[in-house]
Amino acid sequence: MSSRFQLANAIRALSMDAVQKANSGHPGAPMGMADIAQVVWGDHLKHSPSNPEWANRDRFVLSNGHGSMLIYSLLHLTGYAVSIDDLKSFRQLHSKTPGHPELGYTPGIETTTGPLGQGLANAVGMAIAEKTLAAQFNRPGYNIVDHNTFAFVGDGCLMEGISHEVCSLAGTLGLGKLNVFYDDNGISIDGEVEGWFTDDTVKRFQSYGWHVIASVDGHDPEAIEKAMQQAKAETNRPTLICCKTTIGFGSPNKGGKEDCHGAPLGQDEIALVRNQLDWPHPAFEIPEEIMNGWDAREKGHKLESDWNNQFVAYTEAFPELAAELGRRLNGRLHADFASTARSFIEQTQKAGEKLATRKASQNAIQAFAGNLPEFIGGSADLAGSNLTRWNESKVIDASDSSGNYINYGVREFGMCAIMNGIKLHGGFVPFGGTFLMFMEYARNAIRMAALMKQQVIYVFTHDSIGLGEDGPTHQPVEQIASMRSTPNLTNWRPCDATETAVAWKMGIEKKTGPTAMILTRQGLPTQARTDGQLAQIEKGGYVLVDCGEHPDLTIIATGSEVDLAVKAATELGSFRVRVVSMPSCEVFDQQDSEYKTQVLPASGKRMAVEAATGDLWYKYVGLEGKVISMEQFGESAPADQLFKEFGFTVENLVAQAKQLLA
């Protein structure tokens, strides 16, 4: 057998042994894709195992993440800090080798995958980031940003609708450095896919504008190598390489069947595989010559060293560009960002305008963008409604990638997953807009951003029944509660232009997870504030209207309902009423107990008001408190009529308060 084949067999052996030891996992995909992986990682992937964060490395994404032992085996074999003991701890608590690849657990993992299709979407985002960063920073003779993005996908990835969203856009944008390998094994969990997946994949991707290489034998290294060369020669279109493979290759009784998709092979079958593949070595034992054949540390060190030398020359030729690229890749803000933000917030408060918070959001983007060349904005075909464009924004397209704005089209899920990939690549702070209602389409990509703790900013406008005549299909009710229950996701529902500016500042400064801006269509007045109150907005919740230390009633509100609460407090002049604006529950909950008690004292009754489902608010108002909220879907009518219909009026707040205080 050829040395290539034995190198690939090392992947097969480690994968089946780890799954067997864990008594859990998916051996079929790693065994079927081992030959493709050997060619890509052995001969083409530009990486440095000693420095997984090397800026100019190729990005590799295993979109069919259930086959995680494929990438864990590759990382171990090529010299990353993934030991044989780590492989033996596959799927065990706190191990470096969780059931699906997870960012932050394993050196060399570029993104968390498992929800099928999203890894492919992340890869599209990475390819966009590479092309855009290259257009912004490369200069003649200095291709300082120059790397490829590789993705492995399976039948399941291509069945998921997100694959259409992102691959259509990838073709339109001409992402010539994106190379996707399709593991066409014809098997999914339920069996042979011909019963439910008969698409002409070649024609489908050709219609997207992709370069498609069809009918490659996925177990023939020479055929794979030839396809890889053809893919790299095509620089104007992304490439799909369709590889026909056998799932569980080498397994005499389970290969080519769903039996090996998501279950251990069993010791008897593993013994047969070893015989079939001429692999006599014990479990988890890789011969020295095979390890040496895989070891990529020396090669990777040279690649990185050569690039470092090139960067030194680049720095000498273009010192300002080099410093800016370094700043952006390290995720540092410009030194004067804080002062710029503070000045804008103060000016916004002083102006006192009545604005829809979506418009206030656009003002904040405009004010901050000059200090944030790393901004890369976009909208899912709603730029005129989300107001995500700013004066200096420039659309990225196939012919010119030097811009900072993406027209995502009607692709909410694709947009959010692509933004994850852009952020994971580095060098950018991505944000994208849609109506709050349609975060539903993107929910899992938002969850993945939160899971990976990635700084992605969502601009969710038309935040309530205030949307009006478009009716309940477009009026969010339960969405805010869903987002607030998502770990690591910070949500801001500002009550006016000032709080919106603060929300943007906080989202830009937060590096440990995504931020959602929840914004109105309708105009909202700027609330009066002292300097102290202005500073406290950053705490997520603060006293906006006070009555002293022992209020009879504390009204908590967010967004458009804050102004109702302020007016109701005035009407309740015979009582001691405090109004608390709480634009971000997550940030407020992070404050110390002393501050939270100052804002929400134990004395008196509490009432919360928000034009969304209200369960969350009981943790603040208690069982004896009152929550005025939306507990049904909306209706189609002008916004003022809907607020009256559902009780979001000063009169109703006053009536409910008096009843509570009686």
Side-chain angles (χ1 to χ4, degrees):
M1 294 184 182
S2 71
S3 59
R4 278 185 178 275
F5 192 68
Q6 287 291 49
L7 290 170
N9 283 342
I11 298 172
R12 295 184 174 101
L14 289 173
S15 297
M16 67 181 183
D17 290 341
V19 171
Q20 186 65 37
K21 187 175 188 304
N23 196 31
S24 173
H26 301 74
M31 296 174 73
M33 297 194 79
D35 297 300
I36 306 169
Q38 189 280 316
V39 173
V40 174
W41 279 67
D43 298 330
H44 294 279
L45 192 73
K46 184 171 63 176
H47 63 126
S48 181
S50 300
N51 181 13
E53 301 300 316
W54 174 37
N56 202 45
R57 69 192 181 278
D58 289 339
R59 271 52 169 186
F60 176 83
V61 176
L62 183 69
S63 187
N64 45 343
H66 54 270
S68 55
M69 268 312 302
L70 173 68
I71 194 166
Y72 297 151
S73 299
L74 288 164
L75 293 170
H76 169 70
L77 292 166
T78 56
Y80 286 78
V82 179
S83 69
I84 200 71
D85 287 335
D86 292 325
L87 300 188
K88 290 178 181 179
S89 299
F90 179 53
R91 289 185 163 230
Q92 305 309 302
L93 185 64
H94 302 314
S95 80
K96 281 186 179 180
T97 51
H100 290 80
E102 290 191 43
L103 185 74
Y105 279 73
T106 320
I109 297 297
E110 300 284 1
T111 181
T112 300
T113 56
L116 293 178
Q118 284 198 67
L120 174 57
N122 296 164
V124 171
M126 293 173 187
I128 291 172
E130 190 276 341
K131 188 174 182 180
T132 302
L133 206 65
Q136 293 177 356
F137 285 95
N138 287 355
R139 294 296 181 268
Y142 296 93
N143 288 333
I144 205 68
V145 179
D146 183 15
H147 49 267
N148 291 285
T149 302
F150 296 95
F152 282 8
V153 305
D155 292 300
C157 292
L158 298 190
M159 280 187 256
E160 289 286 0
I162 192 173
S163 70
H164 166 74
E165 294 186 27
V166 301
C167 291
S168 170
L169 186 59
T172 298
L173 294 179
L175 303 180
K177 290 185 177 179
L178 174 63
N179 299 291
V180 177
F181 287 83
Y182 167 34
D183 180 31
D184 182 12
N185 61 35
I187 296 293
S188 64
I189 291 176
D190 283 351
E192 297 181 7
V193 300
E194 63 184 12
W196 48 87
F197 185 49
T198 58
D199 304 17
D200 189 327
T201 299
V202 171
K203 290 183 179 178
R204 171 187 168 190
F205 275 78
Q206 286 174 340
S207 77
Y208 295 152
W210 283 54
H211 172 221
V212 182
I213 303 172
S215 303
V216 176
D217 183 346
H219 302 298
D220 180 351
E222 292 184 2
I224 300 165
E225 173 65 27
K226 180 180 178 182
M228 189 72 260
Q229 294 291 349
Q230 292 173 351
K232 293 174 78 171
E234 172 56 65
T235 59
N236 295 318
R237 295 177 294 169
T239 296
L240 180 73
I241 302 174
C242 302
C243 296
K244 193 65 183 175
T245 65
T246 300
I247 191 172
F249 182 90
S251 175
N253 298 307
K254 297 185 178 182
K257 301 176 182 177
E258 65 269 21
D259 299 23
C260 67
H261 181 280
L265 297 180
Q267 293 292 2
D268 292 343
E269 188 68 13
I270 285 176
L272 294 176
V273 173
R274 281 186 155 78
N275 183 64
Q276 179 86 5
L277 297 179
D278 190 24
W279 187 269
H281 317 292
F284 295 105
E285 183 176 305
I286 307 296
E288 184 178 358
E289 64 271 19
I290 297 291
M291 287 298 296
N292 290 338
W294 269 111
D295 193 341
R297 286 172 291 186
E298 184 177 345
K299 179 182 176 183
H301 177 75
K302 185 178 186 309
L303 286 168
E304 184 180 1
S305 179
D306 289 347
W307 183 84
N308 287 337
N309 291 335
Q310 184 187 21
F311 193 79
V312 169
Y314 177 76
T315 301
E316 293 174 352
F318 305 99
E320 292 182 0
L321 277 177
E324 177 66 5
L325 178 59
R327 180 192 71 79
R328 286 173 56 172
L329 290 176
N330 287 315
R332 299 191 307 268
L333 291 171
H334 272 302
D336 56 354
F337 172 76
S339 60
T340 298
R342 183 168 56 253
S343 175
F344 175 71
I345 291 166
E346 291 171 354
Q347 290 171 13
T348 301
Q349 178 64 36
K350 188 177 296 184
E353 289 185 274
K354 180 176 182 179
L355 292 175
T357 51
R358 62 171 174 160
K359 177 59 181 175
S361 168
Q362 185 182 44
N363 290 349
I365 294 169
Q366 182 68 53
F368 296 153
N371 280 82
L372 292 165
E374 56 265 51
F375 258 179
I376 186 166
S379 175
D381 202 50
L382 286 169
S385 294
N386 301 146
L387 304 183
T388 46
R389 295 288 302 269
W390 65 103
N391 292 340
E392 294 76 26
S393 60
K394 177 183 174 183
V395 172
I396 294 167
D397 60 30
S399 62
D400 185 356
S401 297
S402 64
N404 51 17
Y405 193 87
I406 300 172
N407 287 320
Y408 285 101
V410 187
R411 299 181 177 100
E412 294 88 357
F413 192 4
M415 174 182 72
C416 291
I418 285 171
M419 287 197 295
N420 289 347
I422 290 172
K423 183 58 187 177
L424 288 162
H425 176 279
F428 295 98
V429 174
F431 66 89
T434 187
F435 288 177
L436 176 58
M437 183 67 244
F438 301 127
M439 62 74 61
E440 294 286 356
Y441 284 128
R443 183 187 296 271
N444 201 254
I446 297 167
R447 183 178 188 270
M448 295 300 287
L451 182 63
M452 294 188 284
K453 300 179 181 179
Q454 292 302 296
Q455 184 191 20
V456 177
I457 300 175
Y458 310 107
V459 180
F460 292 139
T461 69
H462 298 64
D463 69 343
S464 70
I465 56 172
L467 174 63
E469 293 88 340
D470 278 344
T473 61
H474 284 53
Q475 294 168 5
V477 171
E478 71 276 24
Q479 285 66 38
I480 300 175
S482 171
M483 292 192 298
R484 285 180 178 145
S485 69
T486 303
N488 302 329
L489 173 61
T490 299
N491 301 277
W492 288 88
R493 188 169 184 246
C495 76
D496 63 7
T498 303
E499 286 190 358
T500 305
V502 172
W504 266 104
K505 174 182 180 290
M506 298 294 284
I508 291 165
E509 292 178 340
K510 182 188 176 186
K511 306 294 185 180
T512 57
T515 298
M517 308 292 175
I518 302 168
L519 308 169
T520 66
R521 177 195 189 192
Q522 70 273 27
L524 303 179
T526 296
Q527 299 297 325
R529 293 179 180 87
T530 65
D531 290 344
Q533 289 171 318
L534 193 63
Q536 288 177 337
I537 296 174
E538 292 190 6
K539 296 180 180 291
Y542 63 101
V543 178
L544 181 62
V545 175
D546 206 5
C547 60
E549 294 183 359
H550 302 288
D552 298 319
L553 174 67
T554 298
I555 305 176
I556 311 167
T558 77
S560 52
E561 290 74 70
V562 169
D563 190 54
L564 297 178
V566 170
K567 291 175 178 175
T570 300
E571 293 291 321
L572 291 163
S574 58
F575 298 97
R576 297 168 59 81
V577 180
R578 168 179 290 187
V579 176
V580 171
S581 177
M582 196 175 290
S584 178
C585 301
E586 298 84 16
V587 175
F588 179 75
D589 288 346
Q590 292 167 5
Q591 306 307 312
D592 59 46
S593 58
E594 180 181 359
Y595 177 77
K596 287 187 284 189
T597 300
Q598 288 174 358
V599 175
L600 297 175
S603 62
K605 302 288 187 179
R606 296 183 188 176
M607 182 168 75
V609 53
E610 186 174 55
T613 51
D615 285 357
L616 164 101
W617 295 107
Y618 285 99
K619 79 174 184 178
Y620 299 113
V621 305
L623 295 179
E624 296 182 357
K626 179 73 177 176
V627 177
I628 300 173
S629 57
M630 285 292 297
E631 302 305 325
Q632 65 187 81
F633 295 121
E635 298 284 349
S636 178
D640 57 344
Q641 295 180 24
L642 292 174
F643 279 117
K644 184 177 181 180
E645 172 72 15
F646 292 106
F648 296 98
T649 63
V650 173
E651 292 76 16
N652 186 51
L653 264 63
V654 169
Q656 296 290 338
K658 288 181 176 179
Q659 183 179 356
L660 184 62
L661 292 166

